């Protein structure tokens, strides 16, 4: 960094950081055992929550200068927020991390390739669902056209890092563009109506993971929900907010608030822990905007994870069954630490006949996915994943269940890396629950029908 860049970053830290929140940290160290990067770096304080807070405060106070080492510490944080749940002072570390990244990335001079890449995806792809469909449609074409098989046979994938090679193998089969564009907007319950809800479909969830979204809708129908799916909703903005693009995140938040205000529903349902944790904090994101503050608060009060609403509607008391197997659960960090949803997924899994639920050691420790972390911080991500797979194998589970698309891909990646694809699978909890319900009630699998339709 040159002198001008350092001065810009220092000024941005003074402007953007919540100093009162920084001062809430008492340096007690309760956060240390919960921090994956602190543990995996051999207990390096620079990569701990209190160490990062000390760096942030030092920059604001002017006792340290911005440096590549400081940026590395901030970048290496997973943003899992496990430190928040154990902090006796209630420090909102996730918010401090977003402020720090905003200060760094909006002030630091980016290389031309980095600037183009960030600008393309953050400004011109994620905010527009039609463009997301177009981009993921290319992936679907790659999978269906024979290009994927050719790339593997001639060794093209060997040019990429090992983690990327494995990730390419575990990506879901992407539906055709026509199927992704033909989405429902209003669905009636298949049981006695109990609630009217809206469904936040997400960007990647309604493209690459569309089958899971379809399963979510079907589960809500079986649970007695009328479902509204606003067409004008867009990406939640989490990737923007976590990557220093806060202004864009606010813009997207406002669009979502408008879209769901018109729905007039009891709850807004999410099925992705990362999205839900960001949506439920729109009130904080827009706290300084008098026009939007109250509207954001009303929006946040309605956010509910699919597992939480299913338990509230006693779905776990219905007939559910699966073939005899051991199942374990990998917490979505943001579902647990952000939305405070912890027991509901376990309660649902334990209610399924023939399923033996075994709790994984450190189930709530981050798996290393963390949005795009497993791409930009691949080495640390794989180190964290290796530990997670050791714990998963010790449960002797056939199925690892999780509640977030990033976690799902990461666990699939871990299974592939360990050569366990013939012994173990990873599934999203709604896919698992739908299969359990339809299996117990003699219903032809709607998931398989939807998957077949999407691939035609």
């Amino acid at each position: 960094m040159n002198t001008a860049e350092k001065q810009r970053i220092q000024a941005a830290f003074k402007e953007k950081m919540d100093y009162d929140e920084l001062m809430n940290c008492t340096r007690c160290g309760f956060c240390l055992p919960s921090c994956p990067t602190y543990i995996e770096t051999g207990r390096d304080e620079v990569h701990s929550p209190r160490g990062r807070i000390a760096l942030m405060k030092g920059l604001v106070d002017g006792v340290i200068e911005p440096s590549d080492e400081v940026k590395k510490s901030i970048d290496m944080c997973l943003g899992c927020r496990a430190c928040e749940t154990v902090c006796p002072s209630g420090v909102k570390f996730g918010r401090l991390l977003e402020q720090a990244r905003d200060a760094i990335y909006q002030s630091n001079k980016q290389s031309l390739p980095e600037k183009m890449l960030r600008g393309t995806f953050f400004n011109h792809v994620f905010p527009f669902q039609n463009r997301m469909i177009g981009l993921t449609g290319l992936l679907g074409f790659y999978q269906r056209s024979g290009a994927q098989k050719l790339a593997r046979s001639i060794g093209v994938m060997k040019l990429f890092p090992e983690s990327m090679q494995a990730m390419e193998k575990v990506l879901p089969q992407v539906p055709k563009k026509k199927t992704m564009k033909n989405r429902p907007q209003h669905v009636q319950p298949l049981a006695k109506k109990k609630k009217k809800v809206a469904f936040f479909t997400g960007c990647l969830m309604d493209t690459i993971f569309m089958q899971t979204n379809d399963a979510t809708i079907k589960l809500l129908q079986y649970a007695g929900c009328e479902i509204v799916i606003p067409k004008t909703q867009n990406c939640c903005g989490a990737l923007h907010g976590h990557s220093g693009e806060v202004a864009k995140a606010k813009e997207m938040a406002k669009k979502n608030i408008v879209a769901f205000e018109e729905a007039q529903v009891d709850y807004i349902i999410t099925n992705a822990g990362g999205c839900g944790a960001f949506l439920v904090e729109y009130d904080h994101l827009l706290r300084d905007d008098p026009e939007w503050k109250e509207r954001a608060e009303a929006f946040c009060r309605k956010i509910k994870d699919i597992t939480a609403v299913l338990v509230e509607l006693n779905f776990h008391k219905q007939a559910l069954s699966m073939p005899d197997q051991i199942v374990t659960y990998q917490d979505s960090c943001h579902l647990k630490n952000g939305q405070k949803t912890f027991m509901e997924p376990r309660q649902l899994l334990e209610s399924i006949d023939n399923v033996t639920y075994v709790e994984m050691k450190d189930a709530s420790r981050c798996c290393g996915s963390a949005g795009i972390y497993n791409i930009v911080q691949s080495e640390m991500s794989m180190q964290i994943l290796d530990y997670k797979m050791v714990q998963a194998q010790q449960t002797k589970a056939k199925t690892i269940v999780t509640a977030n698309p990033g976690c799902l891909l990461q666990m699939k990646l871990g299974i592939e890396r360990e050569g366990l694809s013939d012994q173990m699978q990873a599934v999203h909890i709604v896919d698992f629950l739908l299969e359990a319900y339809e299996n117990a009630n003699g219903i032809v699998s709607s998931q398989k029908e939807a998957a077949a339709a999407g691939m035609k």
Side-chain angles (χ1 to χ4, degrees):
M1 295 182 188
N2 59 41
T3 302
E5 288 173 331
K6 289 181 179 180
Q7 290 176 343
R8 286 197 300 271
I9 292 173
Q10 196 109 41
F13 266 83
K14 290 180 182 293
E15 175 192 348
K16 296 176 183 292
M17 297 303 302
D18 183 340
Y19 198 77
D20 289 339
E21 196 66 56
L22 289 172
M23 290 299 293
N24 281 340
C25 177
T26 62
R27 314 292 190 268
C28 68
F30 275 87
C31 59
L32 301 182
S34 70
C35 178
T37 55
Y38 172 73
I39 295 168
E40 295 298 335
T41 56
R43 290 171 167 72
D44 185 346
E45 278 280 4
V46 172
H47 297 298
S48 73
R50 73 175 180 184
R52 291 182 174 108
I53 289 175
L55 291 176
M56 295 173 193
K57 185 175 180 296
L59 283 167
V60 175
D61 291 340
V63 295
I64 65 172
E65 288 189 344
S67 66
D68 291 336
E69 288 72 23
V70 171
K71 182 177 179 295
K72 179 181 178 182
S73 173
I74 300 300
D75 284 344
M76 194 176 285
C77 180
L78 291 145
C80 67
R81 297 170 60 180
C83 52
E84 291 186 15
T85 62
V86 297
C87 178
S89 302
V91 175
K92 303 295 185 184
F93 182 82
R95 295 175 182 177
L96 293 174
L97 179 66
E98 288 178 7
Q99 292 164 8
R101 286 178 172 167
D102 188 30
I104 290 172
Y105 282 99
Q106 296 306 317
S107 307
N108 194 21
K109 187 176 181 181
Q110 300 169 6
S111 67
L112 183 59
E114 182 182 8
K115 189 174 182 179
M116 290 178 65
L117 190 63
R118 288 175 67 90
T120 298
F121 282 94
F122 287 136
N123 297 327
H124 302 295
V125 177
F126 281 106
F128 304 98
Q129 191 63 6
N130 280 338
R131 296 176 189 177
M132 284 294 297
I133 290 172
L135 186 63
T136 53
L138 293 175
L139 174 59
F141 177 77
Y142 165 75
Q143 292 173 331
R144 291 187 299 270
S145 65
Q148 184 179 53
K149 187 179 292 186
L150 179 63
R152 291 176 180 177
S153 66
I154 64 177
V156 171
M157 293 308 301
K158 292 180 181 179
L159 300 174
F160 295 89
E162 182 184 344
S163 61
M164 293 291 287
Q165 294 178 41
M167 185 65 78
E168 188 264 355
K169 292 180 181 178
V170 302
L171 285 172
Q173 289 293 312
V174 179
K176 283 192 168 185
K177 285 185 184 180
K178 182 179 179 181
T179 306
M180 289 189 281
K181 288 182 177 181
N182 186 26
R183 304 298 287 142
Q185 294 180 43
H186 196 168
V187 182
Q188 296 298 328
L190 292 172
K192 182 181 178 181
K193 181 179 173 180
K194 297 178 181 179
K195 295 287 182 182
K196 181 181 180 183
V197 303
F199 179 36
F200 181 82
T201 55
C203 48
L204 287 176
M205 286 303 299
D206 217 38
T207 50
I208 293 178
F209 297 94
M210 196 183 78
Q211 180 178 322
T212 299
N213 267 9
D214 288 340
T216 303
I217 293 169
K218 187 66 72 174
L219 274 179
L220 289 170
Q221 287 180 284
Y222 287 142
C225 292
E226 177 187 354
I227 310 152
V228 179
I229 307 167
K231 190 175 182 179
T232 54
Q233 64 178 296
N234 59 201
C235 171
C236 67
L239 283 177
H240 298 75
H242 299 328
S243 303
E245 302 284 342
V246 175
K248 194 67 181 179
K250 290 180 178 180
E251 180 185 322
M252 297 167 77
K254 292 174 183 178
K255 290 181 180 178
N256 278 327
I257 290 170
V258 171
F260 284 91
E261 278 177 338
E262 299 169 356
Q264 297 289 307
V265 295
D266 299 309
Y267 300 127
I268 299 169
I269 306 300
T270 70
N271 63 4
C275 295
F278 199 73
L279 292 167
V280 82
E281 294 194 344
Y282 273 4
D283 55 346
H284 175 76
L285 183 68
L286 299 171
R287 67 193 182 283
D288 297 325
D289 192 326
E291 182 185 348
W292 290 91
K293 184 175 181 294
E294 289 186 8
R295 296 168 73 179
E297 289 171 352
F299 176 90
C300 292
R301 285 193 292 270
K302 293 185 176 182
I303 298 296
K304 208 173 189 73
D305 184 71
I306 176 68
T307 59
V309 78
L310 288 176
V311 169
E312 181 178 324
L313 298 177
N314 290 319
F315 189 79
H316 57 297
K317 295 181 180 179
Q318 299 197 41
L320 301 168
S321 71
M322 289 289 282
D324 187 47
Q325 61 186 290
I326 296 173
V327 170
T328 193
Y329 179 70
Q330 162 61 25
D331 282 288
S332 157
C333 295
H334 287 101
L335 182 58
K336 176 182 180 289
N337 304 323
Q339 291 181 264
K340 313 303 180 187
T341 300
F342 176 75
M343 287 307 301
E344 291 91 335
R346 291 166 169 81
Q347 194 171 351
L348 288 162
L349 292 173
E350 289 174 347
S351 70
I352 303 173
D353 290 341
N354 304 321
V355 163
T356 301
Y357 178 77
V358 178
E359 181 76 5
M360 186 195 312
K361 180 184 176 183
D362 292 330
S364 59
R365 185 186 292 185
C366 186
C367 64
S369 172
I372 58 173
Y373 189 93
N374 56 6
I375 297 173
V376 297
Q377 298 285 341
S378 178
E379 183 178 350
M380 178 55 69
S381 175
M382 294 304 103
Q383 195 171 325
I384 291 168
L385 178 58
D386 288 343
Y387 174 82
K388 182 63 64 175
M389 289 308 301
V390 170
Q391 310 315 315
Q393 289 178 72
Q394 288 181 355
T395 68
K396 301 188 185 306
K398 174 188 175 183
T399 304
I400 304 173
V401 178
T402 188
N404 187 61
C407 302
L408 177 60
L409 284 182
Q410 186 81 339
M411 299 316 297
K412 285 179 175 286
L413 177 59
I415 292 169
E416 180 69 26
R417 277 165 51 89
E418 295 293 325
L420 297 172
S421 298
D422 59 339
Q423 304 170 39
M424 185 182 282
Q425 64 172 345
V427 300
H428 194 290
I429 191 166
V430 298
D431 293 310
F432 196 72
L433 289 172
L434 180 61
E435 186 176 352
Y437 179 88
E438 294 187 335
N439 184 56
N441 292 278
I443 301 171
V444 176
S445 174
S446 57
Q447 277 196 321
K448 290 179 180 178
E449 288 180 345
M455 294 306 296
K456 287 180 181 177

